[in-house]
Amino acid sequence: MQLGMIGLGKMGANMAQRLLNGSHKVIGFDPAAQARKKLEENGGGSADSLKALVAALPAPRVLWMMVPSGKVTNDTVSALLDILEKGDTMIDGGNSNYKDSLGHAAACAAKGINYVDCGTSGGVWGLKEGYSMMVGGDEKVVANLKPIFETLAPGKDKGWGRVGPVGAGHFTKMVHNGIEYGLMQAYAEGFSILRHKEAFELDLQQVGEIWRYGSVVRSWLLELTTDALGKNPNLDGIAPYVPDSGEGRWTVDAAIELSVPAPVITLALMERFRSRDVDSFSDKLLSAMRNEFGGHAIKHESD
């Protein structure tokens, strides 16, 4: 199968390479000339504009987008709507908000263009291990794309599936990332408790290695955590600042909309916010309150 890849950043480039390794023909577009050149060196084709990419693909066309969510995705969809034809298919493999995907699908449907939202997990390891893909879209459309998903997945019959209609793919991936927040927070807190028990002089990498085999808390995330501790046991040079890319917020928003209690995911998100508050006004106010009602000592910045 031949398809166009839009966005040749790290993950997009790796996905294109996995498709090429699986004997698919890939033509890619990225604003960065170096990214296009690298794809060509790896056996793919390239185009220097969306129009050129669409022109190079045989109808009915299949285009896979791996671009940042929000404005970039919106702009890309709008541009493609003007140049694609009835029967063509767009696949959004990025981390778009599922509500945006519903809007994109409606706009595409009005022009007879198929839209598929594919929540994609696997990160930088996907090229080697394969990608986990949660696909939303029309059953017949997804069935026609099966060879692509089978090639990108860890196996033809594992690690991917159509989870529902359009929007379901990105909704499922959103919740997946919310769960990820909670898991990461639990591991971080657990290892922190171990580290603070100085009397035992615990080797955190050793503990992680033990937990990796037979333990009920074993996981790929634990493997990565243990590897990180092996490389940098004291996490030297790493600032205690944890960004978020939005999916955790969307998961909490969905929980509120659906009246579903999600305290772990919500608190994990709040902890990320807290990590960025290097001059916490709320903590200063708490100290001031204690001093006001109980005369408790205040620790000053100069102490």
Side-chain angles (χ1 to χ4, degrees), residues 33-300:
Q34 186 60 36
R36 301 195 301 269
K37 180 180 178 182
K38 186 175 181 180
L39 178 61
E40 291 177 353
E41 292 172 349
N42 290 334
S46 74
D48 59 6
S49 68
L50 287 178
K51 285 186 177 181
L53 177 62
V54 170
L57 294 169
R61 304 167 185 84
V62 177
L63 294 100
W64 187 300
M65 299 182 293
M66 286 301 294
V67 298
S69 62
K71 185 178 187 306
V72 178
T73 296
N74 295 340
D75 290 348
T76 303
V77 171
S78 294
L80 288 173
L81 283 172
D82 290 334
I83 51 180
L84 289 180
E85 299 174 346
K86 184 176 181 180
D88 290 343
T89 300
M90 287 190 221
I91 306 171
D92 182 359
N95 280 328
S96 292
N97 188 303
Y98 78 97
K99 294 180 180 178
D100 290 344
S101 298
L102 291 172
H104 295 154
C108 286
K111 293 197 171 186
I113 298 169
N114 303 310
Y115 192 88
V116 172
D117 61 303
C118 178
T120 310
S121 182
V124 296
W125 295 91
L127 175 58
K128 178 183 177 182
E129 304 290 340
Y131 298 91
S132 172
M133 293 169 291
M134 297 137 268
V135 185
D138 179 83
E139 288 187 63
K140 291 183 179 179
V141 173
V142 173
N144 290 335
L145 301 171
K146 188 176 179 180
I148 297 174
F149 298 126
E150 290 179 337
T151 300
L152 290 172
K156 285 189 175 182
D157 58 351
K158 62 182 180 181
W160 80 277
R162 177 186 177 271
V163 295
V166 168
H170 281 150
F171 183 81
T172 305
K173 177 57 163 52
M174 175 192 76
V175 176
H176 162 285
N177 283 24
I179 293 170
E180 179 184 290
Y181 279 41
L183 290 172
M184 292 174 69
Q185 187 66 33
Y187 281 129
E189 291 176 8
F191 277 102
S192 182
I193 294 169
L194 294 172
R195 186 174 189 272
H196 280 79
K197 188 60 176 178
E198 296 178 356
F200 288 162
E201 298 182 344
L202 296 167
D203 181 333
L204 301 190
Q205 183 192 18
Q206 180 198 28
V207 173
E209 287 291 344
I210 292 170
W211 287 353
R212 284 178 59 184
Y213 302 97
S215 165
V216 295
V217 298
R218 65 187 184 273
S219 70
W220 182 49
L221 182 55
L222 177 61
E223 292 180 28
L224 298 176
T225 302
T226 304
D227 289 343
L229 288 169
K231 296 172 185 174
N232 189 354
N234 295 317
L235 306 182
D236 296 325
I238 299 177
Y241 182 103
V242 189
D244 76 283
S245 52
E247 294 87 348
R249 302 182 190 215
W250 302 341
T251 305
V252 172
D253 287 345
I256 294 171
E257 290 177 5
L258 297 169
S259 298
V260 175
V264 173
I265 294 174
T266 302
L267 187 55
L269 176 63
M270 295 300 111
E271 283 297 316
R272 293 197 180 195
F273 294 162
R274 183 177 178 79
S275 77
R276 303 170 213 168
D277 193 358
V278 296
D279 187 30
S280 175
F281 182 83
S282 61
D283 287 345
K284 290 180 180 181
L285 188 55
L286 284 170
S287 184
M289 288 180 200
R290 292 181 77 249
N291 178 259
E292 288 292 328
F293 68 70
H296 301 288
I298 291 177
K299 182 176 180 179
H300 296 278

